[in-house]
Amino acid sequence: MSFPALFGTNVLYGALLNDFILELADRGLYRPLWSTDILNELRKNLIEAGENAALIDKRIATMVSYFPDAMVDGYASLVPTMTCDAKDRHVLAAAVRGGAEVLVTFNLKDFPPESTRGFDVEVVHPDDFLLDQLDLHHAPTLRALVELVDGYASPTMQIDDYLLALTRAGVPRFADAARSRLY
């Protein structure tokens, strides 16, 4: 079984980044993890950004049904013992309970090293996570990228447009590395 990675809300937020991350999981490169709290926070943040609630619910329901083993529960009793930023204690607790090897988040500062010491979970930026995927699974990662982009029908998208979108989504080093390996 592939290694487990828990994703914070901020990584799942952007649709194009979310699509690519889950495409890699679908190909068995790793096992995604999240919690009801993370998905509820995702829903709340997308609604606050003006997204359509029905489309958000469809997106989350698709994620949950497509990755039924991604849901982590039973972590509530761990939340008070976490020492990371208070608003993210549920995230670290879910990562620990779910046996995540990595916790992927844009908010690295909310998880200082002393807060994760002893839990055997590494907190990584999504850019580093994707670069690791590219290093560990070079061909499958690039194939996933190309095939995902080829599958966009409405609107259609070119690989350069998608890589630019990933740069804007906060993973510029991965986008540059993928571009250099594709061309």
Side-chain angles (χ1 to χ4, degrees):
M1 177 174 257
S2 48
F3 79 96
L6 184 121
F7 292 88
T9 301
N10 56 26
V11 181
L12 301 173
Y13 181 84
L16 294 177
L17 180 58
N18 183 317
D19 283 355
F20 183 55
I21 284 171
L22 295 182
E23 182 69 25
L24 295 176
D26 185 44
R27 292 168 185 251
L29 303 187
Y30 73 92
R31 182 176 148 235
L33 297 173
W34 47 65
S35 68
T36 300
D37 287 333
I38 289 169
L39 296 180
N40 287 342
E41 185 177 12
L42 176 62
R43 184 180 192 282
K44 178 180 85 62
N45 292 348
L46 288 169
I47 285 174
E48 287 175 0
E51 300 291 329
N52 179 301
L55 294 177
I56 296 166
D57 291 341
K58 180 180 177 184
R59 174 179 167 185
I60 291 171
T62 300
M63 290 168 58
V64 170
S65 67
Y66 206 81
F67 297 101
D69 64 342
M71 190 64 73
V72 177
D73 52 22
Y75 59 89
S77 64
L78 294 177
V79 173
T81 68
M82 298 294 128
T83 60
C84 60
D85 187 279
K87 70 179 176 17
D88 287 319
R89 289 182 179 160
H90 70 95
V91 177
L92 183 54
V96 169
R97 176 63 69 206
E101 291 183 27
V102 295
L103 187 167
V104 186
T105 181
F106 283 104
N107 294 334
L108 300 178
K109 67 179 179 11
D110 291 350
F111 301 92
E114 61 273 8
S115 72
T116 61
R117 199 167 289 125
F119 293 123
D120 202 27
V121 61
E122 181 183 3
V123 179
V124 300
H125 191 280
D127 215 4
D128 294 316
F129 176 78
L130 290 174
L131 284 167
D132 286 345
Q133 296 307 298
L134 189 58
D135 287 342
L136 294 169
H137 311 287
H138 175 83
T141 299
L142 292 176
R143 191 173 318 109
L145 183 64
V146 169
E147 290 174 1
L148 178 67
V149 171
D150 285 347
Y152 283 122
S154 181
T156 59
M157 188 175 288
Q158 301 301 313
I159 193 75
D160 286 332
D161 298 326
Y162 194 80
L163 291 171
L164 179 59
L166 289 180
T167 296
R168 291 178 179 151
V171 292
R173 291 181 301 126
F174 170 78
D176 288 345
R179 185 179 294 106
S180 72
R181 292 182 183 179
L182 287 168
Y183 300 116

